[in-house]
Amino acid sequence: MDNIVIFGAPGSGKGTYSAALVEKFGYNHISTGDVLRAEIREGTELGKIAERYIEKGQLIPDDLIIDMLADVYDTMREGPGVIFDGFPRTIVQAKALKDMLQARGEKISVTLNLIVSEDILMERLLNRAKIEGRSDDNEETIKKRFNVYYTQTHPLIEWFKKEGVLSEFTFKGDKDLMIKEIIEKVESI
Ligand code: ATP
Ligand code: MG
């Protein structure tokens, strides 16, 4: 099966392009952010812990997210593939993903790195704040999330490169063109 990592800064369009890939290829989609927000809504133990970190724009601890991810992945093994959206976000998570897949005879097929300029990212997130009302979509928390992204998550690009799975896509103002390029890449794996 295909194991696709979709990677990029907050607001880079991970959810949007994941949806396009789900529609085209019938993949299952794991968005760790969506799973955590559902846990918060349901008031679970994990949700209570996650809420404290998300509101501050910080990452939730690696061990919590890694356990959760493996459980969700195991419900999706029958389909054509899985898209990992919002995971991994640290080197520890990346190594855990590699081990988790290896233990199941699987591997990362490709990582799609979405490159978008920071002013477009900020504009999109502030706009989304008005529509979705996410607790972490305010200017102060967004700045913290960018900072967390650049310090903890961005270094993963080198790791993906070393693993030989990195593929990069630069947003040039046209979402449909970006979708076309991403689909072509996924068709070639
Ligand atoms: P976007 O969805 O627009 O790309 P984003 O990447 O910041 O923006 P989510 O992926 O929804 O948003 O994540 C929201 C928050 O959930 C993060 O700021 C973090 O607190 C928590 N979170 C999500 N995934 C992880 C992860 N893999 N490790 C640790 N924390 C996570
Ligand atoms: Mg998202």
Side-chain angles (χ1 to χ4, degrees):
M1 64 191 273
D2 297 338
N3 295 288
I4 315 261
V5 174
I6 193 148
F7 186 88
S12 56
K14 298 185 292 286
T16 302
Y17 302 114
S18 292
L21 292 175
V22 166
E23 191 185 307
K24 175 81 184 171
F25 300 104
Y27 293 141
N28 287 113
H29 176 217
I30 306 179
S31 159
T32 45
D34 287 349
V35 174
L36 293 171
R37 282 184 288 276
E39 298 275 340
I40 293 172
R41 274 197 306 277
E42 288 157 24
T44 65
E45 276 313 303
L46 175 60
K48 282 178 199 150
I49 299 169
E51 193 166 25
R52 300 205 298 266
Y53 291 94
I54 290 181
E55 277 177 354
K56 292 189 217 140
Q58 295 169 353
L59 298 182
I60 77 154
D62 285 328
D63 51 340
L64 293 180
I65 199 102
I66 289 164
D67 287 348
M68 176 190 99
L69 185 99
D71 289 345
V72 179
Y73 184 74
D74 283 332
T75 67
M76 299 176 167
R77 299 290 305 285
E78 300 300 319
V82 171
I83 305 173
F84 297 92
D85 163 359
F87 184 98
R89 262 176 151 95
T90 63
I91 296 280
V92 171
Q93 291 181 16
K95 289 182 178 157
L97 176 62
K98 187 179 174 182
D99 291 347
M100 195 268 292
L101 291 174
Q102 219 158 39
R104 291 159 175 78
E106 296 287 339
K107 60 181 171 46
I108 298 174
S109 314
V110 69
T111 296
L112 309 169
N113 180 25
L114 310 175
I115 301 170
V116 183
S117 72
E118 197 165 313
D119 30 316
I120 296 180
L121 294 174
M122 182 56 94
E123 187 187 309
R124 282 185 190 166
L125 291 169
L126 290 175
N127 206 32
R128 186 174 75 186
K130 290 182 212 141
I131 303 163
E132 294 179 19
R134 257 172 61 167
S135 68
D136 56 350
D137 278 349
N138 57 74
E139 196 159 353
E140 195 194 331
T141 312
I142 292 168
K143 282 188 181 141
K144 284 191 197 145
R145 282 158 58 206
F146 282 152
N147 195 26
V148 166
Y149 172 77
Y150 286 112
T151 54
Q152 295 180 255
T153 306
H154 187 81
L156 276 178
I157 292 173
E158 280 307 310
W159 188 88
F160 290 126
K161 210 182 273 176
K162 231 174 52 229
E163 294 288 314
V165 293
L166 185 69
S167 192
E168 309 204 276
F169 300 86
T170 303
F171 180 70
K172 300 178 223 62
D174 184 343
K175 186 180 90 180
D176 292 335
L177 176 63
M178 192 89 165
I179 290 175
K180 186 170 162 279
E181 289 173 353
I182 288 172
I183 285 177
E184 277 170 10
K185 176 70 207 179
V186 172
E187 270 169 343
S188 78
I189 62 177

